[in-house]
Amino acid sequence: MLQPADQSVASPHGAVPVTPATAGSPPPSSGAGGGAARAALTTACAGLLVGLDTGLIAEALGFIGRDFHASARAQEWVVSVLMVGALLGSGGAGVFSSRFGRRLALGTATLLIGLGALLCATAGLIGQILLGRFLIGTAIGICTFTAPLYISELTTGRMRGTMVTTFSMLQSAGILLGYLAGGILSGGGHWRLMVGLPVIPAALLFMGCAFLPSSPSWLAAKGRFGEARKVLRSLRGDEATADRELDNIRRELGAGKPAGGFALLRTKPFFRRSVALGIGLQIMQQLTGINVVMYYAPKILEGAHFGTSAAAWATVMVGAVNAVVGVLAIFMVSRWGRRPLLVTSCVIMAVALAAAGVIEGMHLQGPGAVLALMAALLVFVAGFGMGAGPLVWTLCSEIQPIEGRDFGVACSTLANWGMDWAVSNTFLSIVSVAGAGWTFAGFSVMNVVFVLFTLALVPETRDVPLDVIEQHLEAGRPLREIGR
């Protein structure tokens, strides 16, 4: 059984973690010991489950609609009810993980994913599919809140950005696996096998959660300093580094009683700014249009005169590009920095969607137009995978101060799922009214807005300790300068 060993100082509004990554002393060049890397990688595997559902439902949606005679509006709900569950899951994840620990939160999420997948696979009514996807959404909300935050607690230095980016990369890999499975099974219309597949990786991750360490900062917050030192030494592989981090944690704990998230929001202007930036980043990420392509790629391609089978395998190409670029992003994020990658990413997406808008808006026909649309979508996905996908989650785990980190990350995660729901729940309806061309053009404009947002507000946090970011934030520096 998973034990709720990693606890935090609880407040009425969630946990207040004290993060080892905030140590003021320079970390070793590797960023963390092998123990931290293994634990962070296990946690990052939650991204695989998050992505797998996206790929599978995209391929299964048409078959579900056919077998249950579902309208376009009902199909929108099959997709978007997951986001309703994710909203609730991410909103309650802070309280749950503060009381029972990160490991148990992740373990519970894997159980919910397995149960939801079984409900979908055995559904006799579309209502059972909606219930199953709601449970999966709740679990995904827990994962997207817990995993990046827990990884940032376990790791330091360059390892922090790399491992949070790995979480995003594994989401991309999960999407690709879902598309591949859907492409293989679509020939026989085996949608029940598609939606039931997450049971297997969910069971494996559940077992992996049993081996995760307790958060050393949370152990210290509960006064269990001996256990915190033991875990830190295991994670860092160096006693001096571990003891130095524990000393920093002690000082931070002695700075005063932490305030609750809402109390901090009311009394600290710097916290309001960091929360607003996190929310803004997540809203802009969804307005890039990425989940429109990921959820509805087969439908978009069928509308461009791809056959059902051809659309399924073309969608696999979308997932492959997303996964390959996700791997490259792991290496780029620690070399190029956050801001340059994010700006480049948004420019690429804006150009690609503008091209797709022209092709769809002018109703171009023929093999050349079909290939051009496919190329535009692939370039768009590549642009997202290199920057806007991984970096938003990384930044949201870095910019919040210790006292309100759980609350701040919860707010940004809620914003992500809320906007994801709004986009995915209305896309087919918008296309039916405005047309695909104008819809793509609108998302292109939003990517231009994201470029301006990044240039004006987003800081460069590469290789900057979390405590330094917090000090600059509290000192009232402009948001784009808190990483300097």
Side-chain angles (χ1 to χ4, degrees), residues 123-174:
L125 299 171
I126 199 165
Q128 186 173 329
I129 292 179
L130 293 175
L131 175 60
R133 286 189 52 74
F134 175 81
L135 292 178
I136 293 172
T138 302
I140 287 176
I142 294 171
C143 288
T144 53
F145 170 86
T146 304
L149 186 58
Y150 187 30
I151 290 169
S152 73
E153 292 173 349
L154 293 173
T155 56
T156 59
R158 290 196 173 192
M159 180 66 73
R160 187 180 73 229
T162 298
M163 282 300 176
V164 175
T165 304
T166 299
F167 170 76
S168 181
M169 182 275 290
L170 287 173
Q171 283 186 259
S172 301

Side-chain angles (χ1 to χ4, degrees), residues 263-345:
L264 201 63
L265 198 67
R266 288 195 304 269
T267 59
K268 302 293 184 181
F270 71 84
F271 186 53
R272 291 196 289 271
R273 292 193 302 138
S274 67
V275 170
L277 177 57
I279 290 173
L281 281 166
Q282 294 287 11
I283 288 175
M284 292 309 303
Q285 186 199 60
Q286 291 306 306
L287 289 177
T288 62
I290 185 60
N291 281 325
V292 163
V293 174
M294 290 304 180
Y295 290 131
Y296 295 112
K299 284 189 169 293
I300 293 171
L301 294 171
E302 285 178 27
H305 307 292
F306 276 72
T308 301
S309 180
W313 285 107
T315 302
V316 172
M317 291 179 62
V318 171
V321 169
N322 189 41
V324 170
V325 176
V327 173
L328 296 177
I330 293 175
F331 300 98
M332 291 188 291
V333 70
S334 294
R335 289 170 173 78
W336 289 20
R338 279 47 159 170
R339 280 168 57 90
L341 266 180
L342 197 52
V343 169
T344 303
S345 168

Side-chain angles (χ1 to χ4, degrees), residues 45-313:
C45 286
L48 191 70
L49 285 172
V50 174
L52 185 62
D53 178 81
T54 300
L56 288 169
I57 197 61
E59 297 283 22
L61 184 62
F63 298 108
I64 292 173
R66 181 198 64 193
D67 285 3
F68 289 97
H69 306 290
S71 65
R73 187 70 185 130
Q75 292 180 55
E76 284 177 335
W77 272 107
V78 168
V79 172
S80 63
V81 72
L82 181 139
M83 293 81 185
V84 178
L87 275 168
L88 295 177
S90 58
V95 175
F96 186 92
S97 61
S98 72
R99 181 169 298 179
F100 301 109
R102 305 300 200 209
R103 294 188 304 169
L104 193 61
L106 285 174
T108 301
T110 61
L111 289 176
L112 288 176
I113 287 175
L115 177 59
L118 286 174
L119 283 173
C120 290
T122 60
L125 299 171
I126 199 165
Q128 186 173 329
I129 292 179
L130 293 175
L131 175 60
R133 286 189 52 74
F134 175 81
L135 292 178
I136 293 172
T138 302
I140 287 176
I142 294 171
C143 288
T144 53
F145 170 86
T146 304
L149 186 58
Y150 187 30
I151 290 169
S152 73
E153 292 173 349
L154 293 173
T155 56
T156 59
R158 290 196 173 192
M159 180 66 73
R160 187 180 73 229
T162 298
M163 282 300 176
V164 175
T165 304
T166 299
F167 170 76
S168 181
M169 182 275 290
L170 287 173
Q171 283 186 259
S172 301
I175 292 171
L176 174 58
L177 288 174
Y179 286 160
L180 281 170
I184 293 169
L185 296 171
S186 62
H190 302 301
W191 65 266
R192 293 183 185 275
L193 288 176
M194 295 183 203
V195 296
L197 278 178
V199 171
I200 298 171
L204 293 174
L205 183 56
F206 177 79
M207 291 185 286
C209 288
F211 298 96
L212 289 175
S214 301
S215 167
S217 57
W218 283 21
L219 289 170
K222 297 298 290 183
R224 296 156 62 177
F225 290 102
E227 294 174 68
R229 178 179 288 105
K230 182 178 179 181
V231 173
L232 271 173
R233 288 179 176 179
S234 173
L235 292 174
R236 302 293 173 254
D238 178 78
E239 291 188 5
T241 301
D243 291 344
R244 187 165 58 242
E245 286 195 21
L246 187 58
D247 287 341
N248 276 278
I249 292 172
R250 285 180 182 271
R251 283 195 294 272
E252 289 161 353
L253 286 172
K257 185 178 180 180
F262 282 113
L264 201 63
L265 198 67
R266 288 195 304 269
T267 59
K268 302 293 184 181
F270 71 84
F271 186 53
R272 291 196 289 271
R273 292 193 302 138
S274 67
V275 170
L277 177 57
I279 290 173
L281 281 166
Q282 294 287 11
I283 288 175
M284 292 309 303
Q285 186 199 60
Q286 291 306 306
L287 289 177
T288 62
I290 185 60
N291 281 325
V292 163
V293 174
M294 290 304 180
Y295 290 131
Y296 295 112
K299 284 189 169 293
I300 293 171
L301 294 171
E302 285 178 27
H305 307 292
F306 276 72
T308 301
S309 180
W313 285 107

Side-chain angles (χ1 to χ4, degrees), residues 402-425:
I402 281 176
E403 279 189 277
R405 186 159 295 142
D406 266 19
F407 180 86
V409 173
C411 288
S412 60
T413 306
L414 281 168
N416 177 281
W417 288 113
M419 187 55 63
D420 190 354
W421 174 83
V423 170
S424 63
N425 190 252

